[in-house]
Amino acid sequence: MEEEPYNGLPRHVQFITFPEDVCIDEKFLAGNQRSSAPLYKTDISKFVTDIQIDPATRGVTDVAHTVVAAASSNGSSRASEFLQGMRCPSSAKAYGNYQDLAADSNVDAIYVATPHSHHYQNVMLCLEHGKHVLCEKAFTVNAAQTEKLVQVAREKKLFLMEAVWTRYFPLSIQIRKAIEAGEIGKVHRTFADLSLCKDVEKDFGTTHRMVNMDLAGGALLDLGIYSLTWVFQTLYHTLPASQRKAPTSVQSLITKYPKTGADEMTSILLSFPSGPAGAPYAHGIATTNLRVAADPDGRGSAGAAIRIQGTKGEIQVDHPAYRPTTWRIVRNAAVASEGKGRSLVEEHVVEMPGGGRGFMYEADEVARCIKEGKLESETLGWEESVVIMRVMDEVRRQNGLVYPEKLETLDYPIPHW
């Protein structure tokens, strides 16, 4: 059913995903409030399932989500099939190309989940048509592109956010609050790893997006962004905004996949000039690998995916780094013996309510930001996204990892893109 616009807030929300896949147009309804939400590039059906879960199951009453359209570059019939298969409202529209979506006056916000190689061009298309944007991670191929998108969004007064869904999980929020409260003392170090165990030649060959240089493939931009997310949200974001400083040193090593030149193993060591809870310095170690597993048996026997270490103990986060549900505080023996009802090990299990995967939390954030007239999210603002992109730029520079010029350029539009 088509309702009238609410108080000038977004009426329709359009999402873009892989060219061969479906994209979702969703609107948020909550009394007189409307806004937008995301689509995760490889889990379209899971995303749609998530946003149709009753928000009350996660204690949300200010926003709700309804799918109102889908699009596929393979034609509107593909989009129609998807909508029917997911039991979306019969009034949901089916689209066939992105240009028409961006030009649609009824569309207010677009979610971009194409390969990293296409983010800059796709987001520029959306911003130039006056649309708010939620863009998948990594934000772009390089920091200069992210800075340009931020500039355009600021000039046009449009909402723009990098879609790092892990940051919005209740688990992540709990951990950041524990660090800020000094639960583990002065925080000096974070280890973070996300690695797969793949037969790269067999599973990815030379054309799969994970190793395809023409799609900005490789471990760094696809998996390493999660490792860096944990380093930054624990050592950088937990400081007051006025005290956050970019790493003073970036050291790295990359091993390239011989068949394509994409990175298959990347290790990064960051030195921060200060850390949480008054630490005078902090180190972040972020690693990623396509050939070895962070969690070999899938049961956590190899230990935590993330270790955040302070002077009073450490916080451990179980696998997988992109969607953990268990974390714990392991206190120093001397601290635990002080009493005050504190145990040596304090474990927390934070399941996704309603059987959701977790996409709904990111969706809720975008909805609220647009509803409140914000241009960026406080949980992951433009400045922090740019800093992280600059770190990845430096890692690539140190190791001679360069993508094709058409992916690195600031030119827009690119002919025949």
Side-chain angles (χ1 to χ4, degrees):
M1 164 172 116
E2 292 293 327
E3 294 91 351
E4 292 302 312
Y6 287 130
N7 298 334
L9 293 170
R11 179 177 181 179
H12 292 290
V13 180
Q14 182 67 52
F15 301 96
I16 296 176
T17 186
F18 280 141
E20 68 270 24
D21 283 336
V22 178
C23 61
I24 302 302
D25 177 2
E26 183 197 6
K27 63 185 175 184
F28 293 71
L29 309 178
N32 289 332
Q33 304 165 349
R34 293 197 178 190
S35 192
S36 70
L39 173 63
Y40 188 63
K41 56 192 176 187
T42 59
D43 289 296
I44 302 171
S45 61
K46 292 177 182 177
F47 169 77
V48 174
T49 298
D50 268 18
I51 63 173
Q52 296 185 93
I53 295 172
D54 183 356
T57 62
R58 59 184 181 274
V60 172
T61 59
D62 58 332
V63 293
H65 316 292
T66 302
V67 176
V68 298
S72 171
S73 61
N74 289 331
S76 59
S77 60
R78 170 74 178 94
S80 295
E81 292 172 4
F82 175 81
L83 290 169
Q84 293 173 11
M86 293 304 299
R87 298 182 179 180
C88 297
S90 59
S91 60
K93 299 178 180 178
Y95 292 91
N97 67 77
Y98 302 152
Q99 289 74 17
D100 287 347
L101 298 182
D104 189 336
S105 61
N106 288 323
V107 172
D108 293 284
I110 299 177
Y111 174 85
V112 176
T114 48
H116 320 304
S117 52
H118 290 58
H119 286 182
Y120 179 71
Q121 296 293 323
N122 292 159
V123 175
M124 282 294 290
L125 172 69
C126 301
L127 294 176
E128 289 296 331
H129 282 82
K131 305 299 191 273
H132 303 296
V133 179
L134 174 66
C135 179
E136 256 304 335
K137 59 202 168 307
F139 217 153
T140 53
V141 172
N142 56 53
Q145 291 179 338
T146 296
E147 291 173 321
K148 180 63 176 180
L149 295 179
V150 167
Q151 175 190 333
V152 173
R154 181 181 288 115
E155 291 173 351
K156 293 180 173 292
K157 293 181 171 48
L158 295 168
F159 177 80
L160 175 65
M161 187 178 98
E162 185 177 12
V164 184
W165 66 321
T166 311
R167 286 211 179 207
Y168 301 92
F169 295 167
L171 175 144
S172 294
I173 296 171
Q174 291 174 10
I175 291 172
R176 292 196 299 268
K177 287 182 177 179
I179 292 171
E180 293 167 352
E183 287 288 340
I184 58 172
K186 298 178 180 179
V187 182
H188 285 287
R189 185 167 63 186
T190 292
F191 291 94
D193 179 59
L194 178 58
S195 296
L196 307 179
C197 185
K198 295 290 184 180
D199 181 332
V200 182
E201 289 78 10
K202 178 181 178 181
D203 295 335
F204 298 146
T206 59
T207 59
H208 191 282
R209 70 174 184 84
M210 286 295 295
V211 295
N212 189 337
M213 292 291 283
D214 286 331
L215 295 177
L220 176 61
L221 294 187
D222 200 278
L223 304 177
I225 184 64
Y226 284 105
S227 302
L228 286 170
T229 288
W230 279 103
V231 167
F232 271 85
Q233 76 166 334
T234 58
L235 298 181
Y236 184 87
H237 195 82
T238 50
L239 274 65
S242 62
Q243 297 178 23
R244 296 171 190 166
K245 296 181 180 179
T248 54
S249 173
V250 178
Q251 300 180 54
S252 65
L253 287 173
I254 278 180
T255 295
K256 296 179 181 178
Y257 178 44
K259 290 184 177 293
T260 67
D263 67 300
E264 66 171 53
M265 176 169 65
T266 297
S267 301
I268 306 169
L269 173 61
L270 305 178
S271 179
F272 292 87
S274 60
Y281 64 85
H283 288 176
I285 300 91
T287 58
T288 183
N289 193 312
L290 298 182
R291 295 188 188 272
V292 302
D295 185 20
D297 64 2
R299 299 178 179 179
S301 301
I306 318 296
R307 295 180 67 188
I308 307 150
Q309 300 178 314
T311 54
K312 295 182 179 180
E314 71 174 54
I315 289 174
Q316 299 177 350
V317 185
D318 287 352
H319 300 275
Y322 56 86
R323 188 185 177 273
T325 57
T326 303
W327 69 283
R328 68 191 59 82
I329 296 177
V330 182
R331 296 186 172 88
N332 293 349
V335 174
S337 65
E338 293 176 356
K340 300 180 181 179
R342 293 186 174 184
S343 58
L344 190 62
V345 179
E346 181 182 310
E347 185 146 333
H348 302 265
V349 178
V350 190
E351 297 290 353
M352 299 293 178
R357 289 282 298 173
F359 303 107
M360 57 278 194
Y361 293 114
E362 189 177 47
D364 293 344
E365 172 70 7
V366 178
R368 293 187 181 107
C369 285
I370 295 180
K371 178 189 69 178
E372 295 169 6
K374 296 180 179 179
L375 301 186
E376 57 184 314
S377 167
E378 295 177 4
T379 303
L380 181 57
W382 295 341
E383 179 268 342
E384 189 167 351
S385 285
V386 169
V387 170
I388 295 173
M389 286 303 310
R390 287 175 179 169
V391 166
M392 292 194 287
D393 278 1
E394 177 60 16
V395 170
R396 291 174 51 217
R397 186 197 68 77
Q398 291 178 7
N399 295 275
L401 180 59
V402 181
Y403 294 111
E405 174 58 26
K406 66 178 181 179
L407 307 189
E408 302 268 12
T409 185
L410 292 179
D411 293 344
Y412 170 82
I414 298 294
H416 311 298
W417 183 253

